[in-house]
Amino acid sequence: MTSAPLSPVRATRVGLPVGLGLLAGVPVLLLILATLGALTQTTVEGLPIVPWQTLWGLPLDRWLRDIAATLVLGFVVVGALLLPRIDMRLIRLASLAALAWLVALLVQIPLTVSEVLGRPWTDSFDPQIVGALLTQTQLGQLLIAQIVLVALVALLSWAILGRITGVIVLVMAVVAAVLSALSGHSGLHSGHTSASVSLGIHLVSAGVWVGGLIAVCSYVARHPDSGAVAIRRFSTLALVCVILLAESGLLNASLRVDGVASLITTAYGTLILAKATLLAALIVMGWRQRRYVVPHADSPVGRSQLVRFAGFEVVLMGIAIGISVALSRTAPPAGAIAGDRITAGALAILALAVPLVLVWAGARPARLVRWTVAYPEPFAVLLVVVTFVMGAVVPSGLLGIGVAAVLASVILVLTGWAFAVAALGPRGVAAVLLAAVLWPGVLLVERLLRANPVETYVQVGAAAMLGVGCILALLLLRHRPTAPVQVSTPAREEMVVG
Ligand code: HEM
């Protein structure tokens, strides 16, 4: 397929659409919370009733807080420090994002009162109660410190005149973001210093990476002359951020999740698995960008290609942030025990999403291609049979739940990988359609046969949708070779994709 580069006029309009990709996280967040029943008002005798407005409002407010913090960090880093010259437009945008962050923090106060005391949101402004929350609890004191810092960031951004003032504003934004980490699952448990520190690093690296990418797209569209420098510098910064993000995320997860089996047998673990898979997909995209786009950053074609890649990346990042907020509203698991079953979501991620990322990254060994090329349909059947067996039987506890969970995960990924390779062969469409039809059925039957099901039909339905989505995504990959992007000579200013 051949596509023309963005014209300068279209290019100026790309910053906002790229940023809007972050909104993809909102439906994902609400869908996950709805399937977990976290948006429905419940009555447990003796406990305060949290109104539904608060159950919806708190995660949405937290999402706004995380997105605003992300934009502030990224825009200040790129606008004040990364570029050859300070870009005041990016700094002003950072100030606007800081205002949104401030609003989210202020709204968090009555929502927290409402959640803790089980009052309607509108009755949660009582000055005495709000005063007690802010002065007598750790959460309240952290909120005050954040509010002061974020207000200063919003104001002082207008006073950034050079690199040094830029660094001062950035340090304040970083401290405010780290304080959020102290108020999550990690921070409110005493003695969890490493959990809080790692979550702080996680939040800052996510912010600089995601917000920085949007800032660079916005800058490159307006300054084609110095865009190449910005792209190259950001590419290195993004690499550092991804390493820190993965390391801190995995460390934090290991502190919250008791044993590897909890990753596939609990809702909290499944969400972590989903985030790790998304991060792997983002790493594949980032690698392709470094390999095929960054070397051509001097040409208009290279820059427009960066913006196209970035649009897709930001959607995936938005989904990752939506899942993260859902994670922060989900209770960490107590630890898996023998007899716990693999969740439908984990089955979909291991058998379909991970193999999809593998084949997308180009992992299509010649031997596997040879085995699967002639008869791809049996691999679709094998996939659903293995999924059924793993969901129904494993981990049984015979080997110890940890070993059984690892074995089951490896078997699911290998079977899914063989199916994905088969699906990309010349006769693969039939296998794709067969799997898309059988997949929801196998999850449903498996759920029906469970003696003591812990998952609702809504959760199973969401996993069925995720699986079918991954299976159909294979159709899109069928026409793409392993190295999909070649940028032609700048003279022709034309790009060949796929
Ligand atoms: C290997 C991949 C990853 C792992 C293992 C991981 C793990 C975690 C864990 C355990 C938490 C704490 C949740 C809690 O409070 O219970 C967290 C929070 C968070 N993660 Fe990740 N993460 C990963 C990738 C990502 C990615 C790719 C992004 C964004 C692009 C991201 C953004 C966030 C954000 C914004 C939060 C804070 C959510 C909140 O408290 O509102 N993470 N992550």
Side-chain angles (χ1 to χ4, degrees):
M1 186 176 72
T2 305
S3 58
L6 294 179
S7 71
V9 178
R10 278 175 63 203
T12 54
R13 293 193 201 132
V14 295
L16 185 64
V18 168
L20 286 179
L22 289 175
L23 287 173
V26 176
V28 174
L29 164 66
L30 293 177
L31 182 75
I32 295 172
L33 291 180
T35 58
L36 294 176
L39 297 177
T40 321
Q41 206 168 301
T42 51
T43 350
V44 179
E45 217 171 305
L47 286 182
I49 301 166
V50 183
W52 68 266
Q53 293 90 338
T54 306
L55 293 173
W56 283 71
L58 258 175
L60 287 174
D61 182 64
R62 202 171 175 121
W63 174 84
L64 177 65
R65 184 203 71 180
D66 288 352
I67 293 293
T70 293
L71 294 177
V72 171
L73 289 167
F75 278 58
V76 173
V77 165
V78 173
L81 303 176
L82 193 94
L83 299 173
R85 270 199 313 276
I86 289 185
D87 186 277
M88 285 319 287
R89 184 175 170 272
L90 290 180
I91 306 290
R92 304 281 181 264
L93 288 174
S95 171
L96 285 181
L99 280 180
W101 189 355
L102 192 59
V103 170
L105 290 170
L106 292 172
V107 172
Q108 195 181 335
I109 298 171
L111 283 173
T112 307
V113 172
S114 167
E115 184 177 52
V116 174
L117 300 181
R119 291 172 154 227
W121 188 73
T122 40
D123 292 353
S124 303
F125 293 91
D126 183 329
Q128 255 187 339
I129 299 177
V130 170
L133 171 86
L134 293 180
T135 52
Q136 288 167 26
T137 65
Q138 188 196 354
L139 178 64
Q141 288 153 6
L142 288 171
L143 266 173
I144 295 184
Q146 275 179 285
I147 288 169
V148 171
L149 281 167
V150 174
L152 283 173
V153 170
L155 277 176
L156 293 181
S157 294
W158 296 85
I160 290 184
L161 299 172
R163 303 281 188 205
I164 294 184
T165 38
V167 170
I168 293 171
V169 171
L170 178 63
V171 169
M172 286 193 288
V174 166
V175 174
V178 171
L179 290 180
S180 303
L182 300 178
S183 62
H185 279 144
S186 310
L188 293 179
H189 294 79
S190 52
H192 278 215
T193 315
S194 37
S196 304
V197 172
S198 61
L199 189 54
I201 295 172
H202 194 66
L203 289 176
V204 173
S205 44
V208 173
W209 182 35
V210 179
L213 180 64
I214 297 168
V216 166
C217 286
S218 165
Y219 178 82
V220 163
R222 287 175 303 109
H223 300 275
D225 44 328
S226 51
V229 183
I231 293 173
R232 288 205 182 96
R233 288 183 185 175
F234 180 70
S235 175
T236 308
L237 178 67
L239 184 65
V240 176
C241 287
V242 169
I243 293 169
L244 287 176
L245 182 78
E247 234 176 39
S248 57
L250 290 172
L251 173 65
N252 203 271
S254 69
L255 294 168
R256 310 302 315 153
V257 174
D258 194 4
V260 69
S262 299
L263 277 180
I264 59 170
T265 56
T266 64
Y268 191 91
T270 305
L271 293 179
I272 288 183
L273 214 55
K275 285 182 66 174
T277 310
L278 271 174
L279 184 63
L282 283 164
I283 289 173
V284 174
M285 286 218 77
W287 174 79
R288 291 187 171 198
Q289 234 166 353
R290 277 179 83 86
R291 176 92 172 72
Y292 300 107
V293 179
V294 174
H296 301 276
D298 291 322
S299 74
V301 179
R303 286 192 295 275
S304 67
Q305 183 67 349
L306 170 99
V307 172
R308 284 200 182 105
F309 258 88
F312 187 43
E313 261 180 301
V314 171
V315 170
L316 293 187
M317 289 165 165
I319 294 175
I321 295 176
I323 298 177
S324 305
V325 178
L327 193 63
S328 74
R329 302 278 303 158
T330 309
I337 51 167
D340 282 353
R341 299 283 172 78
I342 305 178
T343 64
L347 288 172
I349 294 168
L350 292 169
L352 292 165
V354 173
L356 176 68
V357 176
L358 279 175
V359 290
W360 186 32
R364 305 174 201 173
R367 187 168 293 184
L368 201 50
V369 173
R370 262 202 313 278
W371 283 346
T372 58
V373 72
Y375 299 104
E377 298 85 352
F379 288 92
V381 177
L382 185 69
L383 172 82
V384 291
V385 171
V386 168
T387 302
F388 180 79
V389 172
M390 294 302 145
V393 179
V394 177
S396 68
L398 282 177
L399 298 164
I401 188 130
V403 179
V406 172
L407 268 179
S409 306
V410 171
I411 292 171
L412 281 166
V413 169
L414 289 180
T415 316
W417 189 23
F419 159 71
V421 171
L424 297 185
R427 294 186 54 244
V429 176
V432 168
L433 298 179
L434 190 61
V437 172
L438 293 178
W439 178 258
V442 78
L443 290 192
L444 185 68
V445 172
E446 211 258 309
R447 164 68 175 71
L448 281 169
L449 293 181
R450 281 191 185 190
N452 301 311
V454 284
E455 284 182 294
T456 62
Y457 282 108
V458 182
Q459 284 168 322
V460 174
M465 268 164 44
L466 172 66
V468 172
C470 292
I471 294 170
L472 296 181
L474 288 168
L475 290 177
L476 299 177
L477 284 191
R478 280 176 56 79
H479 302 292
R480 293 190 173 241
T482 310
V485 183
Q486 294 157 18
V487 180
S488 60
T489 55
R492 276 184 68 212
E493 289 197 353
E494 197 177 62
M495 174 177 19
V496 183
V497 183

